[in-house]
C-alpha cells in the first residue's frame, strides 16, 4: 500500500518539468535532489508536522532544506501550475467534477 506522501514515477517526472532550474553553486554541499525534497514536503504536509520534525531516517533531507525549497517553489508559482496540470489530466480522463473545483 502506498504511503500518502509517495508520488508515482510518472507524476514525479511531470512535476519535475514544472520546477525552476537550479544553477549549481560554486561553494557548499551538493544540493538535495528535487524529488527527495518534494517527498519531504509531501510528508510534512500529509502528516501535518513542523518542518523541524521531518525524520532524517526517511532521507528527504533536513526539514529546513525542504522548507526553503517549498518557499522557493511557492515564489515560482510551481504549486499553482501543478494544480492546473492535475486538473487538466483529471479532465482528460473524465474524472473531474468541475462543480467542485477551486480556482486560484
Amino acid at each position: 500500500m502506498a504511503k500518502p506522501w509517495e508520488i508515482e514515477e510518472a507524476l514525479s517526472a511531470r512535476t519535475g518539468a514544472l520546477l525552476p532550474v537550479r544553477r549549481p553553486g560554486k561553494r557548499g554541499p551538493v544540493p538535495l535532489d528535487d524529488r527527495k525534497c518534494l517527498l519531504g514536503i509531501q510528508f510534512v504536509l500529509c502528516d501535518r508536522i513542523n518542518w523541524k520534525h521531518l525524520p532524517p531516517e526517511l532521507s528527504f533531507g533536513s526539514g529546513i532544506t525542504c522548507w526553503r525549497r517549498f518557499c522557493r517553489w511557492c515564489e515560482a508559482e510551481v504549486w499553482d501550475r501543478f494544480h492546473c496540470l492535475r486538473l487538466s489530466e483529471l479532465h482528460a480522463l473524465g474524472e473531474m467534477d468541475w462543480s467542485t473545483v477551486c480556482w486560484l
Side-chain angles (χ1 to χ4, degrees):
M1 185 166 145
K3 295 173 179 67
W5 64 85
E6 291 180 341
I7 302 170
E8 62 188 52
E9 223 26 72
L11 179 58
S12 178
R14 293 190 305 276
T15 304
L18 301 174
L19 301 177
V21 177
R22 285 183 291 125
R23 290 183 222 109
K26 295 180 181 175
R27 291 195 255 168
V30 176
L32 186 65
D33 178 56
D34 283 337
R35 179 172 168 73
K36 287 187 177 188
C37 272
L38 183 60
L39 291 173
I41 291 166
Q42 285 282 110
F43 184 87
V44 167
L45 297 177
C46 286
D47 280 16
R48 299 178 180 183
I49 61 170
N50 190 303
W51 293 101
K52 65 184 175 186
H53 295 133
L54 183 64
E57 59 271 12
L58 294 176
S59 302
F60 296 149
S62 73
I64 193 68
T65 297
C66 291
W67 174 77
R68 285 183 184 136
R69 199 77 56 93
F70 175 76
C71 291
R72 196 175 309 144
W73 292 345
C74 284
E75 289 175 8
E77 299 180 351
V78 169
W79 307 114
D80 295 337
R81 290 181 288 163
F82 178 72
H83 184 224
C84 291
L85 171 72
R86 291 303 290 155
L87 290 177
S88 63
E89 288 176 347
L90 290 170
H91 175 70
L93 295 171
E95 297 180 12
M96 189 68 241
D97 177 6
W98 290 102
S99 66
T100 63
V101 174
C102 174
W103 290 98
L104 303 176

